[in-house]
Amino acid sequence: MGSFLIQGRHGTKGNFEAVVPSSHGGGLVHLWRNNDAGGVWSGPGCFGGAARYVGTSLIQSNYGSPGNLEVVATDQAGNLDFFWRMDRAPWTWSGPFRIASGLTGTPSLIQSRHGTKGNFEVVVPHRDGGLAHLWRNNDAGMTWSAPGRFGGAARYVGASLIQSNYGSPGNLEVVATDQAGNLDFFWRIDRAPWTWSGPFRIASGLTGAPSLIQGRHGTKGNFEVVVPHRDGGLAHLWRNNDAGMTWSAPGRFVGGPRYTGVALIQGNYGSPGNLELLARDEAGNVDFFWRMDRAPWTWTGPWRVGGEISRSVSECVYSWTSAYHQGDTHVTVRIQLVPEGGVTAAQIANLQPTWRNGIISKWANRFDCRAGNGDRKAITFDVHWVTSGAHHVVRVRPGPAQSNMTNWDTSDSGDVASHEFGHMLGHPDEYASTACPARSPVNTGTVMDDNTETVQRLYNRIAAFHCGHGPAAPGAGEPPEAGEARTDRETDMPDLRSLDALEPARRAEALARLRAAGEASDGDRGRAGGGPGGDVGAGGTEEISFDITGGAPSERYLFHLAVTADGGAEKRVVDELGGGDRVESVSTVPTDVAARVFAAAAEAGLLADEPPSEAALRTEGEIVPDSMIAIVTLRSGDAVRRVVVPAAGPDQAARELPGEPADVPVGTDFQLSRESATALAPLLGALAAVEAELS
């Protein structure tokens, strides 16, 4: 077999294992697929130092149980290095061990049936033309022979070696592709004088390193070869070993990508077994293909080999799951769009390229993944619109409307989609918001703030996935790391602390002051916030506010209503979809009206020693970024208690809110769930009286 892919003996089914040169930065990369658990690829596992390798070959030997992984790799200078990995934890790779020089291209390694233990055999292109064969005597000292050159003067770029069932213990059989794109065949008799025969020309119009196996089709077992096609894609040809040993013409499949090398096996899926294939493209990416083991012999693929990334993210009051696929430095997000409210399939079809192009233009090819030695490779992105197996399901409604990570609308631009895509990658918002007064950083002038630029730090996790690399610093003409911070009313907030994180005595003092604001007489109004408490609270600093806010940048909505213990009151409305005007009303209200708000908060249980439970308010589950939420904030000095529940517009409330939706008695069209509205009813009613006074 002698390629960079094997079906190993780890796992019940047998995992797929692959080792390829790193696409940038040097060393080697180990990838594997767990065939007992969903066939998901894992990796990269990086090893091998800083040398730049051009080709590899992998086996699982009979050293250890179930067996060590053994690798040979050719570097750019023509050296052939050997590595091995222990077949148990901690799965440590050892090497490189230099075994030969003066070579080039992609090598091929097998453990043969020569000798009691089984010798290692390698065939690799020779730098001066032809091929080189070397072997390791595993019965006596495990020393490597010097390379023995054969095969004429043609300059080959890659070779693939097997030991067939011709002869006993079996002839060595080789295919090799030369620089002109010809595929040549060689064989060596399995006994003295160990003569190589060939080259025999079997195909042309090809390129790159081929892969040869003796499959289980036919009585004798056909030879099967896959090799990159010169015009893009791959070519498959085979030799019928039961009838004339004639080679087929190359059958090209999966046109387009230009591959530099392939690795072919016949796995244990199906009977006699599907052909399974990895192909490495010019950028060092690895794609997977497979072919059904019966008519119509259809090839399926490519699928980019990489890891399925999924992690829980939380920021402020929001929580969500970041999910995507990353292969090397390429990130793919599978999104399922679910139309609702009369959105047609034609509208979805028109929106898909707008959103995909907006995402790719904003995120892809803006920064590089940079290795420690300075090598770089661009970080790229794609969106796949799917009907199943999605990383994220997004409902699409008629617009304009407030959008969030999982709800888009027909008026959303590619810029809005690129912002929500950032959340799918795991990035929190960076705009200032009353929902998250402690958020940092804010007003950064980035895609996560105002739908504009991506910046270097947004690529840290993606770059680190590849062997711990980092994103490349922006160069001349590239976007800045962060924009100028702005100051506005939403950021002009004191540093706040969680009331419920205070030590018990301090928390009790703060709650007592809030309760006292609802119990004080008119003559005591100015002293409602007085009393002991040190740095927690001060006269007149007790405040209760109610906010409904949400929506992506350029679609933000805010309804804010607040009252202080001394009768200060404020109403503020920001509706970017409604014209972007900010409506404000700042005044005072009668002290008895303000007192009723604090008393109502106590009646609703918001001033109890323990905060209201999620079960009582029905706030369990994720609240994804940019969602509409309602927030009750109770403040004493710099200590706050915040109660957050989902909110929604009338057109979405029935689907987005737990239970039945309900109106709230203040001047906003957004609704709460029936449970939340009922639990907060005393407070909302008292705030409605404050709003009436402001009007």
Side-chain angles (χ1 to χ4, degrees):
M1 191 162 49
S3 66
F4 56 82
L5 169 69
I6 63 171
Q7 184 165 18
R9 298 186 293 274
H10 290 287
T12 303
K13 183 72 176 178
N15 293 344
F16 290 169
E17 312 267 358
V19 171
V20 296
S22 174
S23 66
H24 64 291
L28 300 173
V29 170
H30 176 218
L31 307 162
W32 65 99
R33 196 180 86 172
N34 187 336
N35 287 330
D36 294 337
V40 176
W41 287 94
S42 295
C46 305
F47 68 98
R52 293 176 173 88
Y53 291 99
V54 297
T56 59
S57 186
L58 166 70
I59 63 171
Q60 186 168 22
S61 71
N62 58 12
Y63 287 90
S65 178
N68 298 340
L69 298 185
E70 321 264 357
V71 171
V72 293
T74 314
D75 69 17
Q76 288 180 331
N79 303 302
L80 185 67
D81 291 342
F82 174 72
F83 304 82
W84 66 278
R85 193 199 74 173
M86 184 73 73
D87 64 348
R88 58 186 181 273
W91 316 106
T92 305
W93 285 96
S94 298
F97 306 100
R98 182 65 42 81
I99 57 177
S101 298
L103 309 171
T104 188
T106 299
S108 189
L109 166 68
I110 64 170
Q111 183 166 20
S112 72
R113 299 186 292 275
H114 291 289
T116 302
K117 183 69 174 178
N119 292 344
F120 289 171
E121 313 268 355
V122 175
V123 170
V124 58
H126 196 282
R127 181 176 57 198
D128 298 325
L131 300 170
H133 172 225
L134 58 159
W135 67 96
R136 194 180 86 174
N137 187 333
N138 287 331
D139 294 336
M142 297 190 294
T143 56
W144 287 93
S145 73
R149 187 177 171 196
F150 70 98
R155 295 186 180 274
Y156 293 99
V157 298
S160 185
L161 168 69
I162 63 169
Q163 185 169 25
S164 71
N165 58 11
Y166 286 90
S168 178
N171 297 340
L172 299 186
E173 320 265 357
V174 171
V175 293
T177 313
D178 68 18
Q179 290 179 342
N182 302 303
L183 185 67
D184 291 342
F185 174 71
F186 305 82
W187 66 279
R188 194 200 74 172
I189 201 144
D190 65 347
R191 58 186 181 276
W194 316 106
T195 307
W196 284 96
S197 298
F200 305 99
R201 182 65 41 81
I202 58 176
S204 300
L206 307 171
T207 188
S211 188
L212 165 69
I213 65 170
Q214 184 166 19
R216 297 188 293 274
H217 291 288
T219 303
K220 184 70 174 177
N222 293 343
F223 288 172
E224 312 268 358
V225 174
V226 173
V227 59
H229 197 282
R230 181 177 56 198
D231 298 325
L234 302 170
H236 173 224
L237 58 158
W238 66 97
R239 194 180 85 172
N240 187 335
N241 287 332
D242 294 336
M245 295 190 295
T246 56
W247 286 93
S248 72
R252 185 179 174 200
F253 64 99
V254 65
R258 294 188 177 275
Y259 293 103
T260 61
V262 296
L264 174 69
I265 63 173
Q266 186 166 22
N268 57 12
Y269 288 88
S271 179
N274 299 338
L275 298 186
E276 317 270 357
L277 172 70
L278 293 183
R280 190 166 178 262
D281 70 15
E282 292 176 327
N285 303 305
V286 179
D287 290 341
F288 174 71
F289 305 81
W290 66 278
R291 194 201 72 173
M292 185 72 73
D293 64 349
R294 58 186 180 275
W297 315 106
T298 306
W299 284 96
T300 303
W303 291 280
R304 180 61 44 86
V305 173
E308 289 291 339
I309 312 301
S310 180
R311 63 187 181 96
S312 296
V313 184
S314 61
E315 185 262 342
C316 183
V317 299
Y318 303 103
S319 61
W320 70 101
T321 300
S322 166
Y324 53 90
H325 178 274
Q326 183 171 351
D328 203 77
T329 63
H330 183 71
V331 173
T332 303
V333 179
R334 301 187 299 273
I335 301 176
Q336 181 177 358
L337 299 178
V338 179
E340 60 178 41
V343 176
T344 67
Q347 286 177 295
I348 293 293
N350 287 331
L351 287 166
Q352 285 175 342
T354 298
W355 290 341
R356 179 177 178 271
N357 292 341
I359 290 167
I360 292 173
S361 64
K362 187 66 61 71
W363 285 92
N365 295 300
R366 306 302 297 278
F367 291 92
D368 295 338
C369 182
R370 180 182 58 198
N373 64 359
D375 281 358
R376 297 180 176 218
K377 184 179 179 184
I379 300 173
T380 56
F381 296 83
D382 201 0
V383 174
H384 290 176
W385 307 114
V386 299
T387 57
S388 62
H391 292 118
H392 303 278
V393 177
V394 174
R395 296 187 176 273
V396 182
R397 54 181 166 170
Q402 275 81 23
S403 296
N404 59 40
M405 193 181 88
T406 58
N407 289 278
W408 300 359
D409 68 76
T410 55
S411 296
D412 283 337
S413 65
D415 284 340
V416 172
S418 69
H419 172 90
E420 301 304 345
F421 183 83
H423 292 311
M424 295 174 179
L425 300 178
H427 301 301
D429 285 309
E430 295 182 3
Y431 53 76
S433 172
T434 56
C436 301
R439 173 177 285 162
S440 179
V442 293
N443 299 324
T444 55
T446 70
V447 65
M448 303 315 299
D449 170 29
D450 57 9
N451 298 346
T452 52
E453 297 288 0
T454 56
V455 291
Q456 179 180 341
R457 58 186 162 77
L458 300 178
Y459 296 80
N460 285 339
R461 183 178 293 272
I462 289 166
F465 174 86
H466 189 89
C467 305
H469 294 173
E478 293 183 355
E481 175 56 23
E484 294 282 335
R486 298 186 303 273
T487 300
D488 57 30
R489 298 212 38 172
E490 288 189 336
T491 61
D492 187 19
M493 298 177 180
D495 292 331
L496 301 177
R497 293 184 288 174
S498 169
L499 186 152
D500 294 298
L502 297 176
E503 59 93 13
R506 293 291 192 191
R507 181 171 68 248
E509 291 170 3
L511 288 170
R513 281 190 288 275
L514 287 164
R515 286 191 290 265
E519 299 167 353
S521 66
D522 287 352
D524 296 330
R525 182 64 50 219
R527 299 188 297 278
D535 63 344
V536 178
T541 61
E542 279 61 52
E543 180 184 79
I544 293 179
S545 63
F546 176 74
D547 295 87
I548 290 184
T549 187
S554 77
E555 303 176 353
R556 296 289 297 164
Y557 176 86
L558 170 67
F559 174 89
H560 172 77
L561 184 60
V563 63
T564 61
D566 59 2
E570 177 185 60
K571 177 182 176 181
R572 185 152 39 105
V573 179
V574 178
D575 186 358
E576 293 180 345
L577 285 178
D581 293 331
R582 179 179 302 208
V583 180
E584 299 202 33
S585 177
V586 179
S587 185
T588 59
V589 296
T591 55
D592 60 325
V593 173
R596 281 202 295 273
V597 173
F598 288 84
E603 181 184 350
L606 302 177
L607 302 182
D609 290 337
E610 296 297 325
S613 69
E614 287 190 346
L617 294 169
R618 297 291 299 274
T619 61
E620 67 274 8
E622 293 183 340
I623 300 178
V624 300
D626 303 319
S627 293
M628 298 303 304
I629 55 173
I631 312 133
V632 175
T633 303
L634 312 143
R635 182 160 72 93
S636 177
D638 62 358
V640 298
R641 170 178 285 174
R642 295 159 60 78
V643 176
V644 180
V645 296
D651 59 334
Q652 292 291 100
R655 183 178 62 75
E656 292 187 0
L657 298 178
E660 294 293 322
D663 293 329
V664 293
V666 292
T668 176
D669 291 333
F670 289 88
Q671 298 178 315
L672 307 182
S673 70
R674 179 75 57 189
E675 291 84 355
S676 296
T678 299
L680 298 175
L683 175 62
L684 294 174
L687 285 169
V690 171
E691 186 179 25
E693 292 287 342
L694 291 175
S695 300

